[in-house]
Amino acid sequence: TDWAFRHFWPVVVSEIEGVKSAKNGKNIRGFILTVPLTAKQMLEDREFAVKRIIDTIKLAEKLGAKIVGLGALISSLTKGGLDLVDKVKPKITTGHALTAHTVTSNLFRFVELFKLDKNKVLVAIVGATGSIGSSSLKVLARAGYDNFLLVDIERKAHFFDNLVAELKKMNPDVKVKTSSHIRDIKEADFIITATNAPEAVVTSEDLKSGAVIIDDAQPSDVSPEVFDRDDVIAVEGGLIYTPNIKNHFNMGLKDRYDNFSCMGEIMVLAAHEHNQNYVIDRPSLEHIDEISSMAHKMGIRLSQFQNAKEKISQEKLARVDNIIKNNIK
């Protein structure tokens, strides 16, 4: 199968219906295209993966695309789109601005629902030096959260210093620990996962009772046995509800109008007929504020809490609410 994947050409998976121009209400056509490589293949041969990604964008151009969004691993493989900018005609966005907004909004929603003091919770970010991780961190720091554990792999640990310096500028009283060991998240109340690892990095034994995981990785950073625990909540972190917009592709989400926020970003930009590159490399806080405001005006909101296994029930929310309140007394 590896051989077969390497020799497949990009294909159109489905057509997106329901995106309308914010200016005049006319329908805007959109497509989901696939780069026919597995995550493992992409990471093992980045040069070949980038070539296939460029082929895919050229197919999008033939379909009339003026702007293209980079989903899943594609952004990190192309240095946030930097490797693509001069090689393709359509404009590019990574999807990371709306994703950082969605991930952090899910955390805010849990803290509000559980009536927690934001200054008493410890938030861990796994993949903290990456685009989504670092952007989410800044959004949280700006909102007044001040107790963080930053986790990333050993070879990225030298990026921690700049990140901590930026946080200290935003809030001199911020408390930050850094680590290259996943097991250290055991002390965290909330965990945002945003790595580009091809397999799960968080297992059940890494989590304390009452932990809440907001997983933004594609493929998922969370091992399936975590979903079976009744004292831990893991949710898909980057999901939005896009009323009346159908992608005609089964992504395993719980509502037919649910979409990943990286795709939502391109929908919002298309609706506003945006004709420049948007997020290349990393989003700024200004990008995050602008795209979330545009999305809100289109009626886009957070999806119901869910993961690959289930919608999160009220009973489970209540159970974890009790545990987390005891944890942070």
Side-chain angles (χ1 to χ4, degrees):
T1 50
D2 271 13
W3 183 91
F5 271 125
R6 284 179 67 87
H7 290 79
F8 280 146
W9 277 91
V11 289
V12 178
V13 173
S14 68
E15 185 165 351
I16 297 167
E17 280 184 331
V19 178
K20 295 189 186 312
S21 165
K23 288 178 191 164
N24 56 27
K26 73 173 175 29
N27 283 318
I28 293 174
R29 291 181 84 200
F31 300 91
I32 299 175
L33 276 60
T34 185
V35 180
L37 293 169
T38 65
K40 188 166 172 284
Q41 284 176 319
M42 284 183 162
L43 292 167
E44 280 173 355
D45 189 346
R46 286 173 183 244
E47 201 177 312
F48 183 70
V50 171
K51 187 172 171 297
R52 273 288 179 264
I53 290 162
I54 290 168
D55 291 336
T56 308
I57 295 173
K58 286 180 174 170
L59 173 57
E61 186 191 338
K62 281 183 185 158
L63 293 165
K66 304 283 192 297
I67 187 163
V68 170
L70 310 177
L73 285 174
I74 291 172
S75 174
S76 58
L77 282 165
T78 59
K79 299 191 186 81
L82 288 169
D83 288 344
L84 304 173
V85 170
D86 299 326
K87 298 185 177 77
V88 294
K89 270 195 191 153
K91 301 304 177 187
I92 303 281
T93 193
T94 62
H96 288 180
L98 191 57
T99 301
H101 168 75
T102 306
V103 167
T104 49
S105 295
N106 270 309
L107 195 149
F108 298 151
R109 181 163 58 154
F110 275 115
V111 168
E112 194 179 315
L113 185 68
F114 295 166
K115 298 184 174 62
L116 302 173
D117 179 343
K118 66 185 173 190
N119 301 120
K120 286 188 177 170
V121 297
L122 173 61
V123 180
I125 301 187
V126 180
T129 68
S131 177
I132 300 286
S134 60
S135 303
S136 297
L137 183 59
K138 287 171 200 168
V139 172
L140 293 172
R142 181 177 65 173
Y145 286 73
D146 62 4
N147 194 9
F148 296 106
L149 168 65
L150 311 184
V151 183
D152 218 318
I153 52 178
E154 196 80 54
R155 67 182 168 82
K156 293 187 175 180
H158 64 285
F159 291 117
F160 282 146
D161 292 345
N162 283 348
L163 208 45
V164 173
E166 278 188 77
L167 284 186
K168 296 275 187 194
K169 261 190 218 157
M170 294 173 83
N171 174 5
D173 299 323
V174 74
K175 298 182 283 295
V176 192
K177 289 182 188 170
T178 61
S179 171
S180 295
H181 303 293
I182 197 72
R183 63 175 177 271
D184 289 339
I185 67 173
K186 193 130 194 175
E187 57 190 280
D189 303 298
F190 288 92
I191 300 145
I192 289 172
T193 55
T195 81
N196 60 2
E199 69 289 301
V201 295
V202 176
T203 65
S204 183
E205 62 207 35
D206 299 320
L207 304 166
K208 71 176 178 185
S209 185
V212 175
I213 307 144
I214 297 163
D215 176 33
D216 181 56
Q218 291 296 330
S220 173
D221 272 340
V222 179
S223 189
E225 84 266 7
V226 172
F227 303 141
D228 296 329
R229 280 183 61 170
D230 61 5
D231 63 337
V232 162
I233 290 174
V235 296
E236 187 74 63
L239 292 188
I240 49 174
Y241 180 81
T242 53
N244 304 315
I245 299 175
K246 291 183 190 163
N247 59 38
H248 298 294
F249 182 65
N250 181 5
M251 295 182 184
L253 307 179
K254 305 305 180 215
D255 190 288
R256 64 183 174 153
Y257 295 124
D258 283 345
N259 268 298
F260 288 105
S261 42
C262 54
M263 197 187 299
E265 182 163 300
I266 196 71
M267 291 170 176
V268 172
L269 293 172
H272 289 81
E273 296 175 52
H274 189 89
N275 59 3
Q276 297 299 320
N277 292 325
Y278 195 63
V279 176
I280 299 292
D281 194 13
R282 292 176 182 221
S284 63
L285 287 171
E286 289 74 23
H287 280 127
I288 293 168
D289 293 343
E290 181 183 47
I291 197 81
S292 59
S293 168
M294 289 195 284
H296 181 70
K297 285 175 187 155
M298 288 171 66
I300 292 171
R301 59 181 192 267
L302 294 178
S303 296
Q304 281 185 280
F305 290 136
Q306 60 186 273
N307 58 38
K309 182 187 174 193
E310 64 193 359
K311 279 186 185 169
I312 309 300
S313 68
Q314 290 304 317
E315 291 79 12
K316 191 165 196 178
L317 287 166
R319 195 181 312 118
V320 171
D321 181 8
N322 274 328
I323 301 168
I324 202 169
K325 280 198 174 76
N326 283 324
N327 285 348
I328 60 174
K329 268 179 184 167

